[in-house]
Amino acid sequence: MTSKLRGWPTRILVTLLYLFLLAPILIVVVISFDTQSTMAFPPQGFSFQWYERLAENAEFIHGFQVSAVVAAGVALLALLIGVPAAVALTWHEFPFRGALSGFFLSPLMVPAIVLGLALLLVLAPMRITGTYAGLIVAHLAITVPYVIRTTSMSLMTMNRSCVEAARTLGASPWRTFRRVTLPLIAPGVLAGGVIAFLISFDEAVISLFVVGPQATTLPVEIFHYVEERTDPQIAALSVVLIAISIVFVVVIERVAGLKKVLR
């Protein structure tokens, strides 16, 4: 009985900490159902009008579609680039290996606004700014490093004896990678893909430099919206995105196990 009582202060402290961290999200959820035309707390009433208006907002719907398509393309290409690069940088010795590793990771050290301007100067002469291709290329610069890092961690912690056994038994390098290495590093690869998707979907600063009328991402649409209005429709959109994120996490947990993905 005494040991149980000793644990209560810790439980209360942890509960209060969680409430403190979740308080902003809970306030946003409450505001999204308010009847006022401006965001304020506490709310003055209860209404679904902002969710109804959100469903009719063509800019947000188009921005969501653009962000989803771009993020999916970025995640796929980041895996195709990052996984082979991680294997080469982790398992193989070759000239200028350190320089190549620094080249891949350098975008993480550059301020986003500087990187966005640099990408604009590179992509504008190619006439791909304001297109899906331009957005994907721009977002690859900041997502490939994460795929390399997560995949490299899986490669460094895996048991290489299985790979050596497969090669000893006559398997080709590609067959060994596909049937042995890739299943063993799947959690790291999946983590890299998920991170690449989320970073691309959420990116606003770099996207501001390369978007156009036909391809404007959701974060940029939100930025333009709040420049002129501050109604609870933004809160409603935030609640929808939070719900999608929760579904995303649940699906990953069901498919691969969240602890394995984030290991």
Side-chain angles (χ1 to χ4, degrees):
M1 185 67 179
T2 304
S3 60
K4 291 182 179 180
L5 291 176
R6 289 176 181 175
W8 275 108
T10 302
R11 295 179 183 179
I12 294 174
L13 180 62
V14 172
T15 301
L16 292 175
L17 180 60
Y18 272 112
L19 290 176
F20 175 78
L21 295 175
L22 293 175
I25 297 177
L26 298 176
I27 291 175
V28 169
V29 173
V30 172
I31 292 175
S32 69
F33 295 101
D34 196 3
T35 56
Q36 299 182 84
S37 59
T38 58
M39 287 193 290
F41 189 85
Q44 301 300 313
F46 184 88
S47 173
F48 287 98
Q49 62 172 319
W50 301 113
Y51 289 92
E52 295 173 358
R53 295 188 185 184
L54 180 63
E56 299 171 355
N57 193 316
E59 288 79 12
F60 284 164
I61 294 174
H62 179 258
F64 182 88
Q65 293 172 344
V66 172
S67 291
V69 171
V70 170
V74 168
L76 178 60
L77 291 177
L79 289 175
L80 293 176
I81 297 171
V83 173
V87 173
L89 293 172
T90 305
W91 281 359
H92 300 282
E93 296 286 345
F94 53 88
F96 306 108
R97 174 188 172 190
L100 184 61
S101 177
F103 170 76
F104 277 118
L105 300 179
S106 59
L108 300 181
M109 307 176 188
V110 180
I113 191 169
V114 175
L115 185 59
L117 179 59
L119 287 167
L120 175 63
L121 296 176
V122 172
L123 299 178
M126 302 170 62
R127 300 183 182 276
I128 59 174
T129 55
T131 64
Y132 284 92
L135 284 167
I136 289 174
V137 171
H139 289 187
L140 279 174
I142 58 173
T143 54
V144 169
Y146 289 97
V147 175
I148 292 177
R149 294 300 296 173
T150 57
T151 305
S152 296
M153 290 301 298
S154 293
L155 289 168
M156 287 187 290
T157 56
M158 68 170 285
N159 188 355
R160 292 191 62 178
S161 61
C162 298
V163 177
E164 296 170 357
R167 296 300 304 275
T168 301
L169 294 173
S172 65
W174 167 244
R175 187 177 180 86
T176 301
F177 176 79
R178 182 170 58 89
R179 299 294 296 273
V180 179
T181 306
L182 188 57
L184 291 175
I185 64 172
V189 173
L190 181 57
V194 170
I195 293 173
F197 182 92
L198 295 177
I199 290 177
S200 175
F201 192 93
D202 192 52
E203 176 56 45
V205 178
I206 293 177
S207 298
L208 280 170
F209 287 90
V210 295
V211 296
Q214 302 301 322
T216 303
T217 61
L218 182 59
V220 176
E221 291 287 4
I222 294 174
F223 179 79
H224 292 324
Y225 188 88
V226 298
E227 284 183 322
E228 302 175 356
R229 289 154 289 191
T230 57
D231 57 54
Q233 189 173 166
I234 292 297
L237 177 59
S238 300
V239 173
V240 172
L241 294 177
I242 291 171
I244 293 174
S245 300
I246 293 174
V247 172
F248 206 78
V249 171
V250 171
V251 170
I252 294 174
E253 171 64 26
R254 294 294 184 181
V255 172
L258 193 59
K259 292 182 179 179
K260 291 182 179 180
V261 171
L262 299 178
R263 184 177 58 186

